[in-house]
Amino acid sequence: MKTSLKINIPESKAYLLIIGILSITLLYFNLYIGSAALLLLLYLIYYNHKIISKRNLQWVEYIETLSMDMDKTAKQTLIDFPLPLCILNNTGNLTWYNGKFSKLVKQNDMIEKPIDEVVPSIMLDNFTKSDTANMQTRTQIGNKIFDIKYNIIENENHEKSFALYFFDVTEFNELKTAYEMVKPVIINLQVDSFDEVLDSASEDVRPIIEAEVERTIKLWTNKHSGAFRKITKDKYLAFMDEKALRDLEADKFSILDEIRKIDHGNSLPLTLSIGAASMASDLSSTYKNSITSLDLALGRGGDQAVIRRDERSIFYGGRSKAVEKKTRVKARIIAHALRDLINESEAVIIMGHHNPDLDSMGSAIGMYGICKMLSKKAHIVLDHPNSSIDVLYDRLKANDNFKNIFMAKEEALRVMTPSTLLIVVDTHRPSFTEHPALLDISERIVLIDHHRRGVEFIDKAVLVYHETYASSASEMVTELIQYVKDRPYIDTLIAESLLSGITLDTKNFTFKTGVRTFEAAAFLRKFGADTIAVKQLFQGDLDSFLVKAEGIKNAKILGGSIAITSCPENLENPSLIAAQIADELLNIRGVKASFTVAKRSDGLVFISARSLSDVNVHMLMEKLGGGGHIDTAGAQLKDVSTEEAVEKVEELIMEFLKEEE
């Protein structure tokens, strides 16, 4: 019935217009009937206006009533809101809160109090300095975890207020943590140089050593509720969960020390390499990450654990030196593969690391000698020499056989093709090479390096000869020369270049010197390498000598065994001076490690670290983005002063000394 009384305004106007036209028409034919029709029309117009006014009044009353009901409902909803809720003004003070919030913080009379005073775990800046609405943060109140979602409300005066909603996610967080702790972890284990260790023991105890290693690993796995399987004599595969892995991290993988303690008359120590991977997207990826971690541990010299988690690698252990391998089978195999690659290539380009030293340059010249033996044209990428190699560089340029040996970076980039053989020596880090852009072009890369492996690696190399036990890249290249041809021959200057590289990295045959190091030196001596000529490559001027003396004089000893000093700024070759000072500091009685800081004119800070093996300087420098070997390492820092760099190194040293205690 109510619906039938509704009048559609546009339609009523049309009806009245039609009635008006008919009334005028009737008035034309009959005055009386037409007048009556006009009177009726006037009444209808009046009635229609009255009805419309009444309807409008009723609608306004309805809206007002609805608004009052809505205000009441909204207020009641806020008061009875099932979650803790509060409102802050633009300075972060409470302007309103409901009973749930009061019960949560166990306080009353909080109006105008700062939110960070009521809930100390809340960072006030998260709200007052945010320009985005509907943001979220997480905090802990008591023993519960809350997700705080908040809206930014702006009034007509452009003043902001913040509505904070507290969602209790404690149970969800506990469930998530429990789920994280039961995710599978795959661990690959390998006993380092197990054959060499067994050969160093008498035959009757070799089965005992093998059984003791397996027993130790089995007990270690069972202790952490894991499962393991022996793959080969020296390789094992273990499965644990994330909780067990975190326990292992807290324990700093004490299994490494337990394996090292096994001693049944073996002259070489037993060490273990571990590659662990936390759960990735699937088990296949996790297993691959575990293998990669083990390869990384082995590439860093073994006796350590590497964990792959969240696209980053974490290192534990690594205090032992890599065991020198007595057999040269691998060197012979690499040499034959290298020979085939060189013979199949139309062009060969060789490069070492940027700011090359005598080992980088010596090994590069050695590779040039191999190409020359195989009648293949090759070039070494180098724009300008530095003071570390300038004497050798001048000797090469003065020799007619080596006049065109060097190639500028721009020219190398121009002639490089995917089929060009690119040989990288004395570094495995792409960013450290003389010209990284060449790596992106070549599809035929050979890598020869002796540094302990870092996370960054030239993965696309088709041939990798990476041995951390080797004293230098020059030693490795010298061995390759002996197997590339049945009757190898190299120029005297090439032999002296290689010997200078070995001399540099062994500090005159003191550090990392094995049997194969002396055999390589003897081979080079046979081809005319003159030790006096090599020594002349290391001579410096008087000013450099005085700078080194000043650096040694200003050195200070931390913990009674670690020396640290710095060099004056604006030196011509700060990296070389720093390395020489670090070497000299080890001659001080009681000093087990030394660190020297030097700043280059362009602001780059060099840190040279040396050790007598009791301190793993590689791991310390790795924390600053550097690396190297256990006893010889370094790092480079940007945007820091010499004093700030010294402070960073001192912090690392004090942290190390604290851990040692």
Side-chain angles (χ1 to χ4, degrees):
M1 186 68 181
K2 288 182 180 180
T3 305
S4 62
L5 292 175
K6 289 182 180 179
I7 298 177
N8 189 292
I9 295 176
E11 291 182 357
S12 63
K13 289 181 179 180
Y15 295 152
L16 291 175
L17 179 61
I18 293 172
I19 293 173
I21 294 172
L22 291 175
S23 299
I24 294 172
T25 304
L26 288 174
L27 185 63
Y28 176 76
F29 290 102
N30 191 308
L31 181 62
Y32 299 105
I33 297 176
S35 299
L38 286 174
L39 291 173
L40 179 61
L41 175 62
L42 293 173
Y43 175 74
L44 289 174
I45 291 173
Y46 166 76
Y47 180 77
N48 185 58
H49 175 72
K50 184 177 179 181
I51 289 296
I52 290 174
S53 299
K54 185 177 180 180
R55 294 280 183 177
N56 288 338
L57 183 61
Q58 290 177 346
W59 178 250
V60 171
E61 290 177 353
Y62 172 76
I63 293 297
E64 290 177 350
T65 303
L66 178 64
S67 178
M68 292 175 62
D69 291 341
M70 285 293 290
D71 287 344
K72 183 178 179 181
T73 303
K75 291 177 181 178
Q76 196 62 39
T77 300
L78 287 175
I79 294 172
D80 298 334
F81 199 69
L83 298 174
L85 167 65
C86 66
I87 298 177
L88 313 178
N89 60 17
N90 58 357
T91 61
N93 294 336
L94 285 161
T95 58
W96 184 88
Y97 52 87
N98 65 358
K100 294 280 186 181
F101 179 80
S102 179
K103 186 177 180 181
L104 171 65
V105 299
K106 299 177 181 178
Q107 293 186 41
N108 294 309
D109 299 328
M110 294 176 286
I111 299 299
E112 294 301 323
K113 279 189 177 182
I115 185 64
D116 53 357
E117 182 181 318
V118 177
V119 185
S121 58
I122 289 182
M123 298 296 293
L124 186 60
D125 290 347
N126 287 350
F127 311 110
T128 58
K129 293 185 179 180
S130 176
D131 294 327
T132 308
N134 301 315
M135 297 295 289
Q136 178 175 320
T137 187
R138 176 165 290 191
T139 191
Q140 181 170 349
I141 302 176
N143 58 354
K144 291 189 175 183
I145 307 296
F146 289 87
D147 275 347
I148 304 176
K149 296 184 179 180
Y150 58 94
N151 296 331
I152 299 176
I153 307 165
E154 191 170 340
N155 60 20
E156 61 275 8
N157 296 324
H158 303 290
E159 294 178 345
K160 291 181 180 180
S161 58
F162 309 89
L164 277 60
Y165 308 86
F166 293 75
F167 293 85
D168 189 347
V169 294
T170 306
E171 291 186 8
F172 171 79
N173 199 59
E174 291 174 352
L175 183 62
K176 181 182 178 182
T177 302
Y179 166 73
E180 292 288 338
M181 291 299 102
V182 298
K183 289 198 301 185
V185 171
I186 300 178
I187 304 175
N188 274 277
L189 306 97
Q190 179 172 329
V191 183
D192 302 322
S193 305
F194 202 20
D195 289 333
E196 284 83 355
V197 174
L198 293 177
D199 289 342
S200 72
S202 58
E203 192 171 347
D204 58 327
V205 299
R206 291 174 188 173
I208 298 175
I209 294 175
E210 205 171 327
E212 183 72 11
V213 169
E214 183 174 349
R215 174 181 167 276
T216 303
I217 295 176
K218 184 177 181 180
L219 290 175
W220 171 74
T221 307
N222 292 339
K223 177 182 176 182
H224 296 281
S225 304
F228 95 109
R229 183 176 181 82
K230 186 176 182 179
I231 307 300
T232 62
K233 179 175 64 176
D234 60 346
K235 293 183 179 180
Y236 301 85
L237 183 65
F239 300 91
M240 297 183 185
D241 56 25
E242 183 67 26
K243 182 180 182 302
L245 181 60
R246 299 195 180 188
D247 291 340
L248 294 176
E249 289 186 86
D251 192 38
K252 296 190 181 295
F253 282 86
S254 60
I255 180 68
L256 299 173
D257 298 323
E258 293 173 22
I259 291 292
R260 211 179 296 114
K261 291 176 182 177
I262 298 176
D263 186 358
H264 292 280
N266 44 294
S267 58
L268 294 178
L270 273 164
T271 58
L272 186 68
S273 292
I274 301 174
S278 185
M279 183 63 182
S281 57
D282 51 58
L283 286 174
S284 176
S285 300
T286 306
Y287 181 74
K288 290 178 182 177
N289 288 343
S290 176
I291 293 293
T292 302
S293 297
L294 179 60
D295 290 342
L296 186 54
L298 293 170
R300 292 163 58 86
D303 188 29
Q304 60 191 282
V306 179
I307 300 173
R308 184 71 172 173
R309 180 188 284 128
D310 299 329
E311 300 300 322
R312 65 190 184 96
S313 296
I314 308 167
F315 306 97
Y316 295 91
R319 298 190 177 187
S320 299
K321 286 188 176 181
V323 177
E324 182 183 29
K325 296 179 181 178
K326 296 179 181 178
T327 175
R328 294 189 180 185
V329 174
K330 186 173 182 180
R332 178 174 55 80
I333 293 173
I334 293 292
H336 290 174
L338 177 63
R339 178 186 62 197
D340 294 339
L341 284 171
I342 292 175
N343 287 330
E344 295 168 1
S345 303
E346 294 182 2
V348 180
I349 291 179
I350 306 163
M351 72 172 174
H353 54 74
H354 63 78
N355 196 30
D357 55 16
L358 285 174
D359 186 35
S360 177
M361 183 54 58
S363 55
I365 294 170
M367 290 307 305
Y368 175 84
I370 290 177
C371 295
K372 190 176 179 181
M373 273 197 298
L374 298 174
S375 301
K376 187 68 65 173
K377 191 174 182 181
H379 292 89
I380 299 173
V381 180
L382 180 67
D383 273 348
H384 304 287
N386 56 63
S387 56
S388 301
I389 62 169
D390 54 2
V391 178
L392 176 59
Y393 180 83
D394 292 338
R395 288 185 187 179
L396 291 167
K397 297 294 285 186
N399 191 309
D400 292 337
N401 295 327
F402 300 96
K403 278 189 175 180
N404 299 318
I405 187 175
F406 297 108
M407 177 182 286
K409 296 177 184 178
E410 291 73 13
E411 186 180 356
L413 192 61
R414 180 174 55 81
V415 302
M416 175 65 72
T417 66
S419 61
T420 301
L421 182 64
L422 177 62
I423 302 176
V424 179
V425 294
D426 203 32
T427 183
H428 60 264
R429 301 174 67 172
S431 62
F432 274 36
T433 57
E434 183 69 27
H435 199 27
L438 298 177
L439 298 170
D440 299 328
I441 300 175
S442 177
E443 295 177 358
R444 294 160 58 83
I445 300 175
V446 174
L447 174 61
I448 300 172
D449 188 31
H450 67 114
H451 294 98
R452 289 162 70 93
R453 180 171 172 174
V455 176
E456 188 184 6
F457 196 79
I458 303 175
D459 295 312
K460 60 184 292 189
V462 296
L463 181 63
V464 176
Y465 189 26
H466 186 215
E467 298 292 348
T468 55
Y469 68 82
S471 69
S472 57
S474 295
E475 177 190 325
M476 298 171 69
V477 172
T478 302
E479 289 189 346
L480 294 179
I481 290 173
Q482 301 174 54
Y483 295 106
V484 168
K485 290 186 71 174
D486 292 336
R487 293 183 178 180
Y489 177 82
I490 55 174
D491 293 338
T492 300
L493 189 51
I494 294 177
E496 290 177 353
S497 300
L498 288 166
L499 185 58
S500 69
I502 297 174
T503 304
L504 175 72
D505 275 15
T506 60
K507 311 305 174 191
N508 290 311
F509 295 86
T510 303
F511 294 96
K512 287 184 67 65
T513 307
V515 174
R516 292 170 67 170
T517 308
F518 287 104
E519 289 176 348
F523 174 81
L524 297 173
R525 187 74 181 89
K526 185 174 68 173
F527 282 97
D530 185 358
T531 54
I532 299 298
V534 170
K535 183 173 179 59
Q536 290 173 348
L537 298 175
F538 293 88
Q539 286 183 317
D541 54 28
L542 179 61
D543 291 337
S544 298
F545 186 85
L546 293 175
V547 169
K548 287 186 285 185
E550 185 69 18
I552 296 171
K553 177 184 176 183
N554 295 331
K556 58 181 178 180
I557 311 297
L558 300 178
S561 60
I562 299 179
I564 182 171
T565 188
S566 60
C567 299
E569 297 186 2
N570 300 319
L571 295 177
E572 184 178 348
N573 191 7
S575 59
L576 178 62
I577 298 297
Q580 292 173 344
I581 292 176
D583 292 334
E584 290 295 332
L585 287 173
L586 290 181
N587 293 327
I588 300 174
R589 185 179 301 166
V591 172
K592 297 179 179 179
S594 62
F595 297 84
T596 306
V597 178
K599 189 172 185 179
R600 204 164 62 184
S601 57
D602 61 359
L604 190 65
V605 174
F606 290 91
I607 302 172
S608 287
R610 300 292 184 266
S611 168
L612 293 177
S613 298
D614 290 335
V615 180
N616 188 337
V617 292
H618 163 78
M619 296 192 69
L620 291 175
M621 290 296 94
E622 197 170 45
K623 294 180 180 180
L624 296 178
H629 297 284
I630 288 179
D631 44 27
T632 305
Q636 298 177 6
L637 301 178
K638 295 181 179 179
D639 303 323
V640 296
S641 64
T642 303
E643 293 74 18
E644 291 171 339
V646 170
E647 289 179 5
K648 287 179 179 289
V649 176
E650 287 184 357
E651 288 175 4
L652 285 177
I653 294 172
M654 298 311 296
E655 182 181 341
F656 168 78
L657 292 173
K658 186 177 180 181
E659 289 179 357
E660 287 296 298
E661 291 176 0

